[in-house]
Amino acid sequence: MALLQISEPGQSQAPHQRRLAVGIDLGTTNSLVASVISGSASVLKDENGEWTIPSVVHYTESSSPVIGAVAQEQAASDPHNTIRSAKRLMGKGVSDVESSWLFDHYNFDLDSGSLPAFKTAAGNKTAIDVSAAVLSALRSTAEQTLGGDLVGAVITVPAYFDDAQRQATKDAAALSGIHVLRLLNEPTAAAVAYGLDSGTDGVVAIYDLGGGTFDISLLKMQRGVFEVLATAGNTELGGDDIDNVVAEWLLKKAKVDAPSDPGAGRLLLRLARSLKEQLSNASTVAYSEKIHDVQYDGSLSIEEFNALVEPMIKKTLAPCRQVLRDAGVSKDDVQAVVMVGGSTRVPMVREKIGEFFNQPVLTDIDPDQVVAIGAAIQADVLAGNKPDSDLLLLDVIPLSLGLETMGGLVEKIVPRNTTIPIARAQEFTTYKDGQTAMALHVVQGERELVDDCRSLARFELRDIPARTAGACRIQVLFQVDADGLLTVSALEKESGVVASIDVKPSYGLSDGEIEAMLRASMEHASDDVHKRALAEQKVEGARVVEAITSALQSDGDQHLSDSERVAVDGLVDALKLTLEQDNTDAIKQAIEKLEHGSSAFVERRMNASVKQLMAGQELEDLERTLVTSNDVTENNS
Ligand code: ADP
Ligand code: MG
């Protein structure tokens, strides 16, 4: 049990001073911050009384950046300096920017090293800088409201975010002076807000329709662990599309063409958005507005509106079917469907998704707030404010992590679906006599051969003491932290030399790719077993050739007659030949023949070493000889 705290004389009366922690939903369109106050989680309001701020930053030459609604106002008049949707670029590289129209209206610096940067009046700004600015605004809202410094925050990220995107989010937090207690998947946070983690084990669906993105996730809750079974979605589908269809409808009603002036276009979209939002609580809305000489008058009924949005809602059903298929569960297995994101306020969305899953959807918690609230609950626990709580959410790693071994084989160190954080160690050894460095290649995937897995990182352990092959003990430690970031370290035990690497692959995998890799591993399972057996046999064969050849070189003349030597040499050559072919059995037989044919030689060497020992030879040398001999004879059984 945690120790109880006692306050200093004259300090706070509260016996348990709460540690201030918040949950942050860092959204593509909007961001918000929440905290647990007096036992319940609520979203914090900024100085203007707003509980959500647009994730928009306006940069100027002279002053510090402006964030939120005020920045949003500048989007039409000063588009290049007003950065929106930076989340889409987190952890992405130059080629992602070049291939996406989403960033067309910005000026980019794409030459400066690895990270693409927006060119603004205040200089080059990466997506990390922009996100850091949004996080800073949320941090000051939190510190003002809560009246103190934050110990940390739980920040949510989409379930499909890869290591690079997660790392970028952490970097942004660090820049804004926020200590990250943990990154939490957005759908998991929503499930936590509804307390679905403490209910019965089962599958829950999280349907998240935001401003410009749609995500559907299936989570499985089991023994306190949320596993993301599958995610799918559409990165270019959301409330903005509804605004567009309503704006088109307004133009048609007014019998005018789309305005060529971007300012007028924006005002029209704003009108459309306002009608859309009113229609989540009304059956019809009237409008009368003049936009750049055009008068828009009329009313929009919920029936007309529904007809406009229905095609878009239908588009979200295909990913819903896909996650069910990918996870191998039926609609009846889904025990709850949670609505997340501002666009799920549209009544027809709720209705159609409820119909699809054959059950009423959960909407009790404001869909705009639900992610931040779940994050706040988790932050409260992680900050140590609920010592009795068993709500410690764990995630699992989606693909096995391993190391390349001789023959291009993969040794899995952390199997897939292991709950994180985790630390796993395994010992490895050298392959050659006198080897003083070791190349470590970290891979990800389920397949047996390195070539079929994904390469994550390479590093080297140097200055290993030169010993006989197999004599060194190198401990390799894989650590995956709570956010899924991997650190691999290697330690040579005798000398204490260490090397390590943090794995932040520049491009991660989408969930679809993970699925594809898993599927491939199942399809190739038996094929892989054969390939592995062949590769292992080749490694073994090469090792035997190496050991015998080095023994022959050192004292072959002493122990073998000329004809015996010719025979052994012949067997070595025969084995070498089979190593060039892909025939597991042939290699095996050639190894056996060589071992049989050289047994007399090995025996004589052994006897000679024993004699040398009696003659007072140094122990270490003897060990070396014995190890070498053992190496050769080891496989006799
Ligand atoms: P993100 O997660 O991408 O930051 P949000 O979850 O904040 O996005 O959703 C923003 C979207 O929700 C916008 O398109 C906004 O117009 C829409 N929205 C907000 N309130 C309503 C409402 N009452 N009815 C319909 N759409 C709404
Ligand atoms: Mg969101």
Side-chain angles (χ1 to χ4, degrees):
M1 202 187 89
L3 290 178
L4 295 174
Q5 299 158 331
I6 297 172
S7 65
E8 232 179 273
Q11 297 285 304
S12 163
Q13 297 293 304
H16 299 280
Q17 182 76 54
R18 287 190 79 74
R19 289 155 56 80
L20 303 179
V22 295
I24 292 176
D25 174 1
L26 183 61
T28 312
T29 322
N30 297 305
S31 296
L32 40 152
V33 56
S35 188
V36 173
I37 303 167
S38 314
S40 75
S42 57
V43 171
L44 307 177
K45 289 184 178 160
D46 68 11
E47 57 204 11
N48 304 318
E50 300 289 339
W51 51 260
T52 168
I53 62 162
S55 309
V56 182
V57 181
H58 181 234
Y59 289 97
T60 57
E61 206 170 335
S62 48
S63 50
S64 48
V66 180
I67 296 128
V70 189
Q72 178 111 300
E73 296 296 317
Q74 312 299 319
S77 58
D78 192 13
H80 297 321
N81 292 315
T82 312
I83 315 298
R84 313 166 59 178
S85 303
K87 185 175 178 179
R88 291 184 186 274
L89 209 58
M90 291 291 268
K92 300 284 180 171
V94 167
S95 60
D96 296 294
V97 177
E98 284 167 341
S99 62
S100 174
W101 59 269
L102 286 165
F103 299 103
D104 278 357
H105 49 284
Y106 292 112
N107 292 327
F108 274 104
D109 184 347
L110 297 177
D111 322 306
S112 61
S114 55
L115 286 182
F118 299 91
K119 282 189 195 165
T120 77
N124 283 356
K125 299 291 169 188
T126 64
I128 293 174
D129 295 321
V130 179
S131 297
V134 174
L135 287 170
S136 299
L138 296 172
R139 177 182 162 206
S140 64
T141 293
E143 292 187 336
Q144 269 161 29
T145 318
L146 300 174
D149 291 344
L150 298 182
V151 300
V154 167
I155 301 178
T156 59
V157 291
Y160 58 78
F161 255 28
D162 61 36
D163 276 1
Q165 291 168 300
R166 284 167 200 263
Q167 186 59 45
T169 307
K170 285 184 126 184
D171 292 347
L175 265 183
S176 70
I178 293 176
H179 168 64
V180 179
L181 296 167
R182 177 170 301 181
L183 298 181
L184 186 65
N185 288 331
E186 287 163 11
T188 307
V192 170
Y194 274 98
L196 297 173
D197 48 303
S198 54
T200 47
D201 289 359
V203 177
V204 299
I206 314 291
Y207 180 100
D208 181 350
L209 192 60
T213 55
F214 166 61
D215 299 306
I216 173 82
S217 316
L218 285 186
L219 305 183
K220 187 176 183 185
M221 177 65 194
Q222 221 172 15
R223 288 172 277 112
V225 176
F226 264 117
E227 183 187 352
V228 180
L229 291 181
T231 77
N234 188 330
T235 52
E236 287 159 30
L237 186 67
D240 297 345
D241 300 272
I242 306 183
D243 301 349
N244 285 331
V245 291
V246 173
E248 276 165 27
W249 181 89
L250 286 168
L251 290 170
K252 210 149 79 186
K253 270 290 212 189
K255 299 195 171 63
V256 290
D257 290 335
S260 51
D261 180 85
R266 283 193 56 80
L267 290 173
L268 184 65
L269 280 173
R270 189 187 295 181
L271 172 61
R273 184 180 207 175
S274 140
L275 298 182
K276 166 187 83 172
E277 298 188 356
Q278 290 176 61
L279 278 171
S280 45
N281 291 307
S283 56
T284 178
V285 283
Y287 57 90
S288 173
E289 201 167 312
K290 193 169 186 184
I291 298 172
H292 289 214
D293 298 338
V294 181
Q295 182 66 35
Y296 295 87
D297 280 312
S299 68
L300 176 59
S301 73
I302 187 80
E303 289 79 18
E304 288 169 300
F305 176 69
N306 283 348
L308 293 175
V309 294
E310 190 166 357
M312 176 189 147
I313 299 173
K314 281 206 172 128
K315 266 198 191 171
T316 68
L317 295 182
C320 290
R321 283 189 206 98
Q322 193 193 322
V323 285
L324 290 168
R325 233 183 0 250
D326 287 352
V329 301
S330 76
K331 289 180 190 175
D332 298 338
D333 299 327
V334 177
Q335 297 190 342
V337 182
V338 177
M339 292 284 107
V340 180
S343 300
T344 63
R345 288 170 184 274
V346 172
M348 184 137 181
V349 171
R350 300 177 171 191
E351 189 185 311
K352 291 289 171 201
I353 302 312
E355 275 172 26
F356 178 84
F357 284 103
N358 301 321
Q359 59 187 297
V361 296
L362 297 180
T363 57
D364 299 343
I365 304 177
D366 185 329
D368 282 313
Q369 302 190 350
V370 64
V371 167
I373 285 180
I377 294 171
Q378 181 73 6
D380 194 42
V381 176
L382 290 174
N385 291 330
K386 291 186 94 180
D388 299 331
S389 171
D390 53 359
L391 177 100
L392 252 192
L393 283 177
L394 299 168
D395 262 322
V396 296
I397 54 160
L399 291 169
S400 302
L401 299 167
L403 210 59
E404 172 170 357
T405 58
M406 287 302 300
L409 290 169
V410 178
E411 180 68 18
K412 292 190 184 111
I413 313 285
V414 188
R416 83 180 213 89
N417 276 341
T418 303
T419 54
I420 51 175
I422 179 90
R424 286 268 168 90
Q426 189 164 324
E427 274 191 0
F428 292 87
T429 189
T430 44
Y431 174 74
K432 276 198 168 172
D433 287 348
Q435 184 177 336
T436 58
M438 195 177 231
L440 295 119
H441 182 197
V442 183
V443 297
Q444 180 181 41
E446 307 314 307
R447 304 286 298 276
E448 299 286 345
L449 301 186
V450 167
D451 286 349
D452 297 322
C453 285
R454 180 167 179 258
S455 170
L456 285 184
R458 290 172 191 274
F459 67 108
E460 282 179 8
L461 179 66
R462 301 195 157 277
D463 302 324
I464 303 172
R467 294 280 176 272
T468 334
C472 285
R473 291 280 168 269
I474 287 118
Q475 187 181 60
V476 178
L477 179 66
F478 275 57
Q479 284 172 285
V480 185
D481 74 9
D483 304 315
L485 296 169
L486 169 67
T487 303
V488 181
S489 59
L491 160 74
E492 197 285 315
K493 289 188 157 175
E494 183 191 336
S495 60
V497 292
V498 284
S500 80
I501 197 163
D502 288 329
V503 181
K504 303 172 199 166
S506 44
Y507 297 96
L509 296 171
S510 71
D511 245 63
E513 287 166 308
I514 292 177
E515 284 296 318
M517 285 171 80
L518 290 178
R519 226 171 278 135
S521 80
M522 287 173 216
E523 281 161 15
H524 296 280
S526 78
D527 191 26
D528 274 7
V529 169
H530 290 120
K531 278 191 194 159
R532 184 177 187 105
L534 174 64
E536 278 175 350
Q537 207 58 248
K538 281 191 176 179
V539 172
E540 182 56 21
R543 199 186 59 76
V544 173
V545 168
E546 169 82 24
I548 299 256
T549 310
S550 105
L552 285 171
Q553 266 165 11
S554 76
D555 51 17
D557 314 342
Q558 261 172 270
H559 302 299
L560 293 175
S561 71
D562 282 355
S563 64
E564 282 172 332
R565 175 72 191 245
V566 170
V568 174
D569 280 345
L571 290 171
V572 170
D573 288 342
L575 175 55
K576 277 188 187 161
L577 255 179
T578 64
L579 291 181
E580 280 156 29
Q581 293 143 28
D582 291 342
N583 184 338
T584 313
D585 289 339
I587 301 171
K588 203 170 166 201
Q589 281 163 15
I591 294 174
E592 281 166 7
K593 277 191 191 149
L594 173 57
E595 282 174 348
H596 183 74
S598 61
S599 59
F601 169 52
V602 170
E603 204 171 302
R604 284 172 213 157
R605 291 188 86 218
M606 201 111 83
N607 291 340
S609 343
V610 175
K611 275 186 209 139
Q612 272 170 354
L613 175 68
M614 298 189 172
Q617 205 209 18
E618 286 203 6
L619 191 67
E620 201 187 339
D621 279 355
L622 174 75
E623 266 178 357
R624 279 185 60 116
T625 328
L626 282 178
V627 167
T628 313
S629 312
N630 281 341
D631 264 3
V632 179
T633 52
E634 188 182 66
N635 249 51
N636 267 350
S637 54

